[in-house]
Structure formats: C-alpha cells, structure tokens
Amino acid sequence: MKARKNKTIKPAVHIVQKELLQPYNPVSINLIGAGGTGGQVLTALARMNHALTALGHAGLSVRVFDDDKIDDANLGRQLFTTAEIGLYKSVALINRVNRFFGTNWKAETVRYEKEQLKDKDVASAVITISCVDTVQARFNIAEVLKYLSKNYGGRNHVQYWMDFGNSRTSGQVILSTLEKIKQPSSEIYKPIDNLPLVTDEFKELLYSSEQADNIPSCSLAEALTKQDLFINSALANCGASLLWQLFREGILFNRGFFLNLADFRTQPLKVA
C-alpha cells in the first residue's frame, strides 16, 4: 500500500518590492481626507517618516487633499483649534506637521476627483490613502486611480490603495493594489500579486456602513452621535501599523482588518 504524500499548504502572502523597502527617493503618498481619521493618519505618517529616515530609509513625501474648511464642530474630535477656524483642513494640518517635523509636505484644497485633477504628477502617488466618509467619494477615487494606473507611467506610478472607513463604533482598513505587483518565487509561501480593490470586493459593505445622515454636524456633541470619540484614532493607529509592516518587514500576511470598538474585537483580513 502506497503511503500518501503530505501536501503542505503554503500560507498566502504579499511581498513588497525592493523599490519601497530601499528607495532612492522618498515614497510618495497621497492622503485623501483631512477629517477625524485623516488628521490622525497624517500624524502617524509623520511619525513613521521620522522613524524610517532614522533607520536609513528615504522616508515619505505626503500630499493631503481636502476642500473642507474647519468649523466649530471640528474642534476637539479632529484636533483643530479655535485659531484655525475658517482655514482649510489640509492646509492647517500640513503646516502643523511641517513645522513640527521639518518636512516639506504639500496641501491641496480640492477634492480628489477626475475633474479637479489636471496634473497627473500631483494626482499620482505610489500609495494612496483614503479617509473619506461617503461611498461616492470612494468610487470617485477608484475611477481616478484606475485611470492613472493605465495612463501614467512616471516615477510615482500608482501601486497601492489603503482605504479607511467607519460607522459610529466600527470600521475597516483595506489594502488594495491597482495592478499586479511582481512577486518572487518561494518554496515557503504562496505569493499573491494582486489585492482586490475595496470598491469591487466590498461594494455592499461600503454601502451598508455609510452613515445615513451625511449632513455636517453643528457641534461636537452632535458629531459624537454619529462617530464615537476614539473610533478614528483606533482605526488610524491600526492602519498605520499595517503600513509600517509593509515598509519594515516587506511581507504581508494580512491586507487589512475589521474593527469593532463596541466589543473591542478586531478581525484580520488575510491575503488570499
């Protein structure tokens, strides 16, 4: 009787290209949305950039897109001050980060939509991070990124899209690729070259998690009825940890996660 051969199932992984791990120039990142989550993500990126450069990496070059201005309801939860009321969120946050960390990052006071983005060099970045609060905004971003993936071949050619989304006490962060990322052969792992777009794979989830009332809040108290005080910072820190793993370890077993602060539960989304 012939013995059965043991077939070991290789764990699926996504392996990051060397150009991101040991770049000659700072890695370009477009951060779309400078609200509750976007502001927290920007601070995390600034800390990450400082740490990466200390470790000999070329660091990050970030551009923030947001056409919204600061009002009273943004104070406290979004970490703006009374002196900043009336300023564009993107400008206020970028100025603050640049002064604190000595960076030269940029602010754009327009929405990230095809009609607004005439300069492909500005619209395109190796990594796009979206922190928007409507489904339509995500599909607008997807449209722009798909277009750039096919029509822009510059140094900042789009590769990854990390999307942050949340309801009142829950949310998700999902990493996608805009094209197949060349993977090395491996005897230990099963390298995956394509991570599905969030707008394709989780279309129904995006619509179900969208807040029913998208009218701007008039006060912090009203804003807190729509989003818990710490959901934005919790998502931002966990999502930044995934990005940090991408840069520091160069291999991803998870491409995102689902977070529920109501019962303190996090569910990873495996690479498959």
Side-chain angles (χ1 to χ4, degrees):
M1 212 174 158
K2 293 183 179 179
R4 292 182 179 179
K5 293 182 179 179
N6 291 327
K7 291 186 178 180
T8 304
I9 299 176
K10 296 180 181 180
V13 299
H14 178 75
I15 299 174
V16 183
Q17 290 183 317
K18 185 179 179 182
E19 287 78 4
L20 288 182
L21 305 180
Q22 299 175 344
Y24 293 107
N25 299 292
V27 177
S28 58
I29 295 180
N30 279 345
L31 174 59
I32 306 169
T37 302
Q40 299 276 356
V41 170
L42 181 62
T43 301
L45 290 174
R47 295 172 59 198
M48 195 181 305
N49 173 70
H50 188 77
L52 285 171
T53 54
L55 293 168
H57 189 277
L60 311 174
S61 176
V62 178
R63 190 181 296 268
V64 179
F65 292 80
D66 200 311
D67 69 336
D68 196 16
K69 292 184 178 181
I70 302 164
D71 58 30
D72 289 333
N74 303 137
L75 305 182
R77 191 173 67 85
Q78 295 188 17
L79 300 180
F80 293 113
T81 70
T82 55
E84 294 171 324
I85 291 177
L87 297 177
Y88 283 102
K89 292 180 179 180
S90 55
V91 173
L93 289 174
I94 282 293
N95 285 343
R96 190 186 308 168
V97 166
N98 284 343
R99 287 196 300 266
F100 193 94
F101 289 94
T103 50
N104 188 30
W105 294 356
K106 307 297 182 183
E108 299 290 337
T109 57
V110 297
R111 292 189 180 185
Y112 194 86
E113 297 176 350
K114 197 170 184 178
E115 296 75 17
Q116 302 283 349
L117 303 169
K118 306 301 182 184
D119 189 343
K120 292 180 183 178
D121 288 321
V122 172
S124 188
V126 176
I127 300 173
T128 299
I129 300 176
S130 55
C131 304
V132 295
D133 54 10
T134 67
V135 172
Q136 189 56 51
R138 286 182 174 84
F139 281 96
N140 290 341
I141 292 168
E143 180 185 6
V144 175
L145 294 179
K146 288 177 182 178
Y147 172 80
L148 291 171
S149 177
K150 295 178 180 178
N151 296 280
Y152 178 79
R155 180 169 61 88
N156 295 327
H157 181 68
V158 295
Q159 293 185 32
Y160 293 97
W161 175 19
M162 177 178 281
D163 179 67
F164 289 72
N166 68 280
S167 56
R168 185 173 182 273
T169 60
S170 63
Q172 70 282 332
V173 176
I174 298 171
L175 182 68
S176 310
T177 58
L178 275 301
E179 60 185 10
K180 291 184 178 181
I181 306 297
K182 187 176 180 181
Q183 302 285 289
S185 58
S186 174
E187 297 181 358
I188 304 174
Y189 302 116
K190 177 186 176 183
I192 303 297
D193 60 4
N194 180 59
L195 307 178
L197 287 180
V198 60
T199 47
D200 293 338
E201 187 179 18
F202 295 105
K203 183 177 180 179
E204 293 182 4
L205 173 66
L206 293 176
Y207 278 109
S208 65
S209 63
E210 184 176 28
Q211 296 183 35
D213 181 10
N214 287 316
I215 299 173
S217 303
C218 296
S219 67
L220 175 58
E222 185 179 345
L224 291 175
T225 65
K226 300 177 182 179
Q227 293 187 16
D228 188 69
L229 182 61
F230 294 107
I231 184 63
N232 301 118
S233 55
L235 277 175
N237 283 318
C238 291
S241 182
L242 176 62
L243 195 61
W244 176 251
Q245 187 178 80
L246 181 149
F247 283 115
R248 290 299 296 147
E249 299 182 16
I251 183 171
L252 298 177
F253 292 88
N254 302 297
R255 57 188 177 96
F257 60 89
F258 297 92
L259 173 68
N260 191 324
L261 276 189
D263 57 9
F264 301 102
R265 178 165 45 89
T266 303
Q267 178 65 43
L269 180 63
K270 297 289 185 182
V271 172

